[in-house]
Amino acid sequence: MDPFIRGLPKAELHLHLEGSLEPELIFAIAQRNGVSLPYASVDALRRAYSFTNLQSFLDIYYAGAGVLLHEQDFYDMTWAYLERAHAQGVRHTEVFFDPQTHTERGVAFEAVLDGIRRALSDARERFGLTSELILCFLRHLSAEAADATLTQALPYKDAFVAVGLDSSEVGHPPSKFQAVFRRALDVGLKTVAHAGEEGPPEYIWEALDLLQVSRIDHGVRCLEDPRLVARLVEEQVPLTVCPLSNVKLKVFERIEDHTLGRMLDAGLRATVNSDDPSYFGGYVAENYEAVAEGLGLSRARLVELARNSFHASFLSPAERERRLAELDAYLAQA
Ligand code: HPA
Ligand code: ZN
C-alpha cells in the first residue's frame, strides 16, 4: 500500500456497515449466537464471493447479516470498520445501515441503532474520527414498509443526518419512494439514493427531482446522458463512486475500464469509497490505490478526490474547513 494514499486525509461517504462484516467476524458472531451458516468455514464463505451482478452479491450480503442479533454484534461490526478506516486516513465517515434487514428478522430497531451509535461515539473519542449515520430503505421492499421504518426511526431522528435508498435497483425506481422521502425531508433530514449503478440515467433524474437528494450514490451510468452530466456538473452534485465494487459486480469488466477518470475530466464532483469492503476486496485506501494504478490517476487527481470527499460530506462549514486544513497540512509535509 502506497503510504501517501494510506495517510491521505479523506472522508468516506458510501459505506454499508453490513458490508464491512469480514468472514471471520461473521463466523465468530454466528458461533456465539448459535446461528448456523450454510458454509463450512471462513474460506468456504470467502470462496462464495464471486459475483455476477448486484443481486448475486445482495443474496450473500443478507445471509451474512443474518448472524447479527444483539446490540454487541452491531457494536463489533461497526467498531471493526472504524478501526480499519482510521488506519487508512479516514477522518470523517458517513455510514449506511439497513434497519429492515434486521427488524424483519425480529431484531429490535434499538439494538441495531444503539450498537452502531456506541461504536461511532467510541471512535470519535479514541481516534477523533467523526461520523454521521444514514438510514437506508431497502428498495426491493414496499414503499409502505419504508414508511413504517421511518416512523420507527423518528423518535431517534437526531441520530441520523439523512435517509438513503439501497438494495436491488432495477425495477425499483426512486419514484416508488417519493412519499417517504418527502416525509423525511419535512422533518429536516437530508436525502441520498443509490442510482445509476445498474439502473438507467432516468433513475438519477428521479433521485434529483423527486427525492431531492444531496448526493447520488454510484451514479456511474450518468455518462450515458450528456444533459444529465451537464446538470450534475452545473449543480456540483456529488457522486459517491465505488471502483472496486463496480468491478466485482461487473458494472465494468476491469478496473482499467472504469470511467472515474472521464468523470473527473468532465468536471463531475466524484468521490472514491469502498461500498462493501469485506465483499469487494478493499477498504477506501485500496480503492484509491486501484484507480491510481488502473487508471493512472496522478497524485493531483487523488488529492482532488480527497478534497471532493470533504466538500461532498454533510460536515458543517467550520468542520469542513478544519478537515481541509488537515489535508493541506498533510500535503505540506508529504
Ligand atoms: N448497491 C445497492 N445496494 C447495496 C449495495 C450496493 O452497492 N451494497 C449494499 N446494499
Ligand atoms: Zn452501496
Side-chain angles (χ1 to χ4, degrees):
M1 162 76 59
D2 178 351
F4 174 78
I5 289 176
R6 192 179 47 229
L8 188 64
K10 51 183 89 64
E12 179 150 54
L13 306 177
H14 187 151
L15 179 285
H16 302 265
L17 285 172
E18 292 90 345
S20 73
L21 263 182
E22 292 287 343
E24 288 78 5
L25 190 53
I26 291 177
F27 266 80
I29 294 176
Q31 190 156 31
R32 76 189 188 204
N33 285 346
V35 175
S36 68
L37 287 165
Y39 302 93
S41 65
V42 166
D43 281 346
L45 175 56
R46 217 183 273 282
R47 273 197 299 277
Y49 292 2
S50 115
F51 313 116
T52 49
N53 56 21
L54 176 58
Q55 193 59 50
S56 66
F57 153 70
L58 289 170
D59 293 342
I60 288 193
Y61 163 87
Y62 294 127
V67 303
L68 301 165
L69 298 180
H70 308 296
E71 193 259 12
Q72 187 65 41
D73 304 337
F74 293 92
Y75 178 92
D76 291 347
M77 168 179 76
T78 306
W79 182 251
Y81 161 67
L82 292 164
E83 281 192 309
R84 307 279 294 250
H86 172 61
Q88 294 201 345
V90 175
R91 305 294 177 97
H92 177 74
T93 187
E94 300 184 354
V95 298
F96 299 129
F97 77 118
D98 293 337
Q100 289 161 291
T101 298
H102 315 296
T103 54
E104 282 222 314
R105 298 180 290 111
V107 177
F109 183 87
E110 289 75 11
V112 180
L113 181 60
D114 291 350
I116 292 172
R117 278 203 295 185
R118 188 158 62 85
L120 295 177
S121 162
D122 283 356
R124 224 167 279 138
E125 211 164 285
R126 299 253 309 258
F127 306 141
L129 171 47
T130 54
S131 53
E132 295 287 358
L133 194 48
I134 301 173
L135 182 159
C136 281
F137 302 116
L138 297 181
R139 68 205 300 161
H140 69 276
L141 300 179
S142 69
E144 292 71 26
D147 198 65
T149 301
L150 181 60
T151 298
Q152 201 168 23
L154 282 183
Y156 314 101
K157 122 179 141 48
D158 293 346
F160 314 110
V161 72
V163 297
L165 193 59
D166 65 3
S167 190
S168 322
E169 185 180 4
V170 174
H172 303 285
S175 54
K176 176 177 164 185
F177 297 94
Q178 189 173 356
V180 66
F181 271 63
R182 181 70 260 163
R183 263 186 87 204
L185 287 161
D186 285 345
V187 299
L189 291 167
K190 297 188 166 61
T191 60
V192 298
H194 284 53
E197 178 186 18
E198 283 190 345
E202 288 70 34
Y203 285 19
I204 301 176
W205 284 105
E206 282 191 11
L208 294 169
D209 291 332
L210 305 182
L211 307 186
Q212 286 168 32
V213 296
S214 300
R215 299 196 288 253
I216 296 287
D217 295 313
H218 292 297
V220 289
R221 288 194 60 191
C222 72
L223 289 182
E224 296 167 29
D225 181 344
R227 271 185 56 241
L228 176 59
V229 170
R231 171 159 179 200
L232 294 169
V233 171
E234 160 85 21
E235 296 178 13
Q236 284 293 288
V237 178
L239 307 175
T240 62
V241 177
C242 306
L244 289 174
S245 164
N246 292 156
V247 174
K248 281 280 183 191
L249 301 187
K250 318 279 189 209
V251 174
F252 300 102
E253 192 69 32
R254 307 168 310 149
I255 193 73
E256 291 79 6
D257 303 323
H258 201 287
T259 51
L260 176 68
R262 278 175 55 204
M263 295 169 83
L264 292 171
D265 289 342
L268 289 160
R269 194 177 286 289
T271 62
V272 161
N273 309 271
S274 68
D275 207 2
D276 300 282
S278 127
Y279 293 92
F280 298 149
Y283 287 76
V284 67
E286 281 90 7
N287 275 271
Y288 274 72
E289 190 154 71
V291 292
E293 286 178 5
L295 303 178
L297 294 193
S298 65
R299 226 172 227 214
R301 277 294 195 218
L302 301 178
V303 171
E304 178 187 351
L305 287 164
R307 224 179 269 292
N308 281 352
S309 74
F310 293 118
H311 281 292
S313 75
F314 293 127
L315 284 168
S316 69
E319 278 291 300
R320 186 193 326 282
E321 285 314 310
R322 185 167 75 84
R323 294 310 193 182
L324 288 168
E326 287 177 13
L327 175 57
D328 287 334
Y330 177 79
L331 297 174
Q333 54 85 54

